[in-house]
Amino acid sequence: MKELHQQTATALLEALSSRRVSAQQVAESCLAQIDACEARVQAWHYLDRDQVMARARRLDAGENHGPLHGIPIGFKDIIDTADMPTEYGTPIHRGHRPRIDAACVALARRAGANVFGKTVTTEFANRFPGKTTNPFDASRTPGGSSSGSAAAVGACMVPLAVGTQTTSSTIRPASFCGGVGFRPTHGEMRVQGVMEASASLDTLGLMARSVDDIALLRDVLLGLAPQALAARDLRGLRVGLPGQSILDQCDASTQQSLDDCARALSKSGAHVSEVDLPPEFELLDDAHRWISSFEFARNRAWEIDHHWNAISETLRENRIHDGLTCSIETYQQARRLVERCRLQLDATFAGYDVFQIPAAAGEAPVGLSSTGNAAFCTTWSAVHVPALSLPLCKGPHGLPVGVQYVAARGEDRTLLAAAKSIMQVFA
């Protein structure tokens, strides 16, 4: 039988509701796992064990048996917490204490979650890495920018964590760290109290070890009464494969794994076929770059003006440089392009339920100076569709490699139902 820290949130909730275990026992098991591997993984920016156990005791003694009762959860350190520091991955904001919780934190606490602490983020949720390592190989990146959230879930420190995604900040680290990572339709979940990188692109990002857990957390963060997720019958599921040019950016092992996944879905009754994306989609990488950079540079105006030398050279010479040199005309043209592409994709999805695409080029790369190639998420973040990384494959070194599935805007529940069935095929 799995130890408590190894179990999914939905399995823990069943045990907690029947009182076979207590919130204190769950917290103690997760804290013991953190003690066992945090020195190597370094997923946490802030964690207060006394605070965690005090919350667990209150949950055991009280009447709050909400949908996340007693479930440990971590939040990326760009998400405000009233009782913990929020420092945005930079020494510029060391010691910063928000006055109130971000909306997602408040909703999780209302549901009975035990907020363990703040997970490591890259600098301002951008390119320069934090201290976190990959939970399966400390010489490799965990991905980013939600590096600590993905690593904490992958290392079984907590069953749930919340990050964000502007480009690939949830899907890529979930792939590298062996978890399920979910980016919702843009605008669906509230981002009040979350540091803004690019309002045109930012979303929350959910991390877990099962699709059911993702569906549960999504409902909670939408303020809904959670509903059990029914698996979608794969017979007749319409799966689109968006072209060889995307696969060409993957390593050979990942290409083979994606081919194997497509064949397995076809054998399970799904209709799998190649899909041609509109020609303008080839311009989306550049459009995403200009939109995200233009907005980021203006959001960081105070830090640029007052703490330039405390910003990493990587961030100054890439994202900020792009943002400061991008003209308003280029920015507006990029916004018009992505809106056209969103409408074109709505029409394309009329013939498909989901697309299958890479989540990353392959296994997590060796080295901690980069968080990996973001190319497999840029398009889908730009067009605002929901995306999910599923831990379906292994690379040549036995490390996890995710497969990404996306659906039409607003079809988040459809995507999750299909993903649950897909996971069952590969179980």
Side-chain angles (χ1 to χ4, degrees), residues 68-129:
L68 291 182
H69 175 82
I71 299 300
I73 189 170
F75 284 89
K76 184 177 182 177
D77 193 39
I78 65 164
I79 300 174
D80 286 351
T81 40
D83 55 353
M84 304 173 188
T86 304
E87 298 181 344
Y88 313 119
T90 171
I92 296 170
H93 294 289
R94 184 174 291 126
H96 171 61
R97 288 264 180 168
R99 187 176 61 84
I100 63 173
D101 284 337
C104 58
V105 177
L107 288 164
R109 291 194 206 268
R110 178 194 291 175
N114 192 345
V115 179
F116 266 44
K118 308 305 287 292
T119 54
V120 172
T121 176
T122 61
E123 178 190 29
F124 291 117
N126 216 277
R127 297 189 179 190
F128 189 71

Side-chain angles (χ1 to χ4, degrees), residues 45 65 74 84-85 114 131 164 175 195 221 300 360 388 400:
H45 181 69
H65 289 279
M84 304 173 188
N114 192 345
K131 63 182 180 179
T164 61
S175 175
M195 185 210 79
L221 297 186
R300 302 277 69 80
L388 195 73

Side-chain angles (χ1 to χ4, degrees), residues 94-300:
R94 184 174 291 126
H96 171 61
R97 288 264 180 168
R99 187 176 61 84
I100 63 173
D101 284 337
C104 58
V105 177
L107 288 164
R109 291 194 206 268
R110 178 194 291 175
N114 192 345
V115 179
F116 266 44
K118 308 305 287 292
T119 54
V120 172
T121 176
T122 61
E123 178 190 29
F124 291 117
N126 216 277
R127 297 189 179 190
F128 189 71
K131 63 182 180 179
T132 309
T133 68
N134 190 288
F136 298 98
D137 182 343
S139 71
R140 296 173 184 261
T141 179
S145 62
S146 304
S147 47
S149 295
V153 170
C156 296
M157 297 178 180
V158 287
L160 300 176
V162 179
T164 61
Q165 180 156 311
T166 304
T167 307
S168 62
S169 296
T170 294
I171 298 298
R172 177 179 51 186
S175 175
F176 290 166
C177 295
V180 180
F182 175 63
R183 177 198 190 274
T185 295
H186 182 270
E188 183 182 69
M189 292 185 181
R190 299 305 89 213
V191 290
Q192 177 274 334
V194 181
M195 185 210 79
E196 182 180 303
S198 169
S200 297
L201 302 165
D202 292 350
T203 67
L204 295 181
L206 312 188
M207 306 279 195
R209 292 192 295 274
S210 78
V211 176
D212 283 322
D213 283 8
I214 293 289
L216 168 66
L217 183 55
R218 172 181 176 266
D219 283 345
V220 165
L221 297 186
L222 288 173
L224 304 175
Q227 297 180 345
L229 182 67
R232 162 72 186 264
D233 190 342
L234 290 181
R235 289 173 296 180
L237 182 74
R238 300 167 302 168
V239 181
L241 307 178
Q244 186 62 35
S245 61
I246 295 176
L247 286 176
D248 287 344
Q249 301 178 66
C250 300
D251 62 32
S253 173
T254 301
Q255 291 189 39
Q256 183 62 56
S257 294
L258 287 159
D259 287 344
D260 292 344
C261 288
R263 281 196 294 271
L265 292 179
S266 182
K267 288 180 180 179
S268 298
H271 299 310
V272 181
S273 62
E274 291 192 7
V275 56
D276 293 323
L277 297 176
E280 281 195 307
F281 270 57
E282 295 182 3
L283 305 175
L284 278 174
D285 282 357
D286 279 343
H288 181 286
R289 172 189 173 190
W290 295 124
I291 293 168
S292 59
S293 298
F294 185 94
E295 294 181 358
F296 182 86
R298 281 143 188 84
N299 285 329
R300 302 277 69 80

